Amino acid sequence: QNYLDNFWPDLKAAHELFDSILQARRERESESQENNGKEYPEHLPVEILEAGIKSGRYIQGTLNVNKHRAQLEAFVRLQGFGSKETG
């Protein structure tokens, strides 16, 4: 802000761009605080997920997505299993 004010006071487009970036950053920080620092809100509470995993209703694994064919190719690697389960 100081740089723009001191060296480019008449460059309106740069000031507008700076204000836009600043506002977007503030909104993102505000959303992050609302979500307790998590980038995405949780779909289900942790307690329900843990109970579902214990009962066998849910499975726990790691989602791997092909970066070159992300829309078409991904698989879930289940914890404790060496094989892949595709989907």
Side-chain angles (χ1 to χ4, degrees):
Q1 180 72 43
N2 290 337
Y3 175 80
L4 290 175
D5 290 341
N6 291 330
F7 294 101
W8 302 98
D10 298 330
L11 192 57
K12 185 178 178 183
H15 285 273
E16 289 174 357
L17 178 61
F18 178 81
D19 291 338
S20 175
I21 293 170
L22 188 61
Q23 180 180 355
R25 184 175 178 190
R26 286 179 182 156
E27 287 175 5
R28 187 169 188 170
E29 288 173 357
S30 174
E31 289 173 2
S32 178
Q33 289 174 353
E34 290 173 6
N35 294 329
N36 297 324
K38 298 176 183 168
E39 189 170 347
Y40 300 101
E42 295 176 353
H43 293 282
L44 294 172
V46 174
E47 298 81 23
I48 293 176
L49 290 174
E50 289 174 346
I53 291 170
K54 282 185 178 180
S55 70
R57 181 175 184 188
Y58 302 127
I59 57 171
Q60 186 172 3
T62 303
L63 175 66
N64 294 289
V65 179
N66 183 331
K67 68 180 178 179
H68 303 290
R69 299 176 46 149
Q71 296 289 332
L72 302 173
E73 191 173 315
F75 66 91
V76 175
R77 186 179 310 268
L78 301 178
Q79 291 185 347
F81 295 96
S83 64
K84 299 176 188 176
E85 196 166 303
T86 59

